[in-house]
Amino acid sequence: MRFERREQIPPALAVLTPLIAVAISLALAGGLIALAGAPVLTAFGKIITGAFGSKLALTETLARTAPLILTGLAAAVAFRARLWNIGAEGQLYLGAIAVAAASAHLFGGLPGVVQIPLLFVTGALAGMILLLIPLWLRLRFQVDEVVTTLLLNFVALLVVSMLIDTVLKDPLAFGWPQSVPVASQAELPKIIPRSRLHIGLVVAVVLAFVVHFIQSRTAFGLQSRAAGLNPSGAAFAGVPLGRTLVLVAMLSGGLAGLAGAVEVMGITSYVTTELSPGYGYSGIVVAMLAGLNPLGVVLAALFTAVMFVGADAMSRSLAVPSYIADVTVALSLLTMLVAIFFTQYRIRR
């Protein structure tokens, strides 16, 4: 028995692959729920109602979808060019703390219509810089960016921890380690009053379409895909690999940094070391579930947000551990990787 690479992937198989992966992961999660002593169908019903069953649940699910779309896009853009950016979590935190600092000490007196775009750019620039460092190490010294981007997550979190306990500490926080808040005029408008759903979701969805346009209709998008599919062939054809990867890193890191900006300006108004429940790492799962397709990222992010929000409700109702959601998302990644393999290869005897 051997594996033979398919010359062409049937379109129906490409569409069904993520659905099959999600179905298998849910089946495996159902087994874990059964082992926990809860009725499986009832548990899945609680997840759905917990994510969509009320105005509060729906707005909370959509609010969590926004940063997942941005970190998912960050991973999808980088992975398509074979730039293995595992550091979206650190880029998110650096973007968030840059926004808090800029709002408090640079742009705080500006009106919201001016300050919000400036803070978006500030957060994106912070994320870009953090990803350009490991890219430079790869291009200059052939250092594996998987290791450097992963380790920079911990470095970024430590830097943020130091800043919110020293120069950026909020003096009105009664000693609690949190940053100074962003100016009130920099807070993102709410889509639905008295909820946490803000226009960051609209920004994230629009950016998904923008990234899709860039990748499918521009020379840069074609060059980044060529760099990912066959770097040697792309270089032979005249694609400037170094410049292409720099632009990919700027786009990927910028999207991850923007996720931090959106989270601070739309949800918390300040930065703590618990700002993200792992949006950067979950973005990798989102990107893989979407098959690195920017528009698919939106649906994959919504699925992940449903699991996170719905699992909390299920846990409260049935006394099932809420980490079932984390396990399900992780199983989705594993099953998706296996599904992608069998999409690209067939078994021959």
Side-chain angles (χ1 to χ4, degrees), residues 5-11 13 343-346:
R5 192 177 186 90
R6 299 177 190 270
E7 294 182 359
Q8 286 188 331
I9 299 174
L13 185 60
T343 301
Q344 297 178 342
Y345 292 87
R346 59 164 61 99

Side-chain angles (χ1 to χ4, degrees), residues 33-247:
I33 293 172
L35 287 176
V40 176
L41 294 180
T42 303
F44 283 137
K46 294 290 183 184
I47 290 176
I48 298 300
T49 55
F52 299 113
S54 66
K55 175 185 171 183
L56 175 63
L58 177 61
T59 55
E60 183 64 22
T61 300
L62 294 177
R64 291 204 190 188
T65 302
L68 288 169
I69 291 175
L70 292 171
T71 55
L73 288 174
V77 166
F79 290 0
R80 187 173 285 275
R82 289 197 180 183
L83 174 62
W84 307 115
N85 178 16
I86 315 297
E89 185 79 358
Q91 293 146 25
L92 181 152
Y93 270 101
L94 208 61
I97 197 66
V99 163
S103 181
H105 299 292
L106 290 178
F107 309 136
L110 298 176
V113 69
V114 177
Q115 188 175 169
I116 289 175
L118 286 175
L119 292 179
F120 278 169
V121 172
T122 301
L125 284 174
M128 289 181 196
I129 292 170
L130 193 61
L131 183 53
L132 286 174
I133 295 171
L135 176 62
W136 177 77
L137 291 172
R138 168 182 159 176
L139 295 176
R140 181 68 177 83
F141 302 107
Q142 288 79 48
V143 178
D144 191 340
E145 74 271 17
V146 173
V147 176
T148 50
T149 53
L150 178 63
L151 293 180
L152 278 176
N153 286 333
F154 302 101
V155 174
L157 193 58
L158 289 172
V159 169
V160 169
S161 178
M162 178 192 70
L163 292 175
I164 64 176
D165 214 17
T166 53
V167 294
L168 292 179
K169 185 172 184 177
D170 185 359
L172 303 178
F174 302 103
W176 186 256
Q178 70 179 46
S179 74
V180 289
V182 297
S184 59
Q185 59 268 35
E187 295 179 0
L188 298 179
K190 296 292 187 287
I191 296 176
I192 297 177
R194 295 189 296 276
S195 75
R196 301 209 308 167
L197 182 58
H198 53 79
I199 64 166
L201 177 65
V202 179
V203 172
V205 173
V206 170
L207 283 175
F209 281 93
V210 171
V211 172
H212 174 71
F213 177 82
I214 290 173
Q215 289 193 332
S216 60
R217 301 301 176 93
T218 67
F220 164 68
L222 181 63
Q223 290 172 346
S224 65
R225 291 179 63 187
L229 290 172
N230 189 335
S232 301
F236 182 77
V239 173
L241 287 181
R243 189 181 72 182
T244 300
L245 288 177
V246 168
L247 293 175

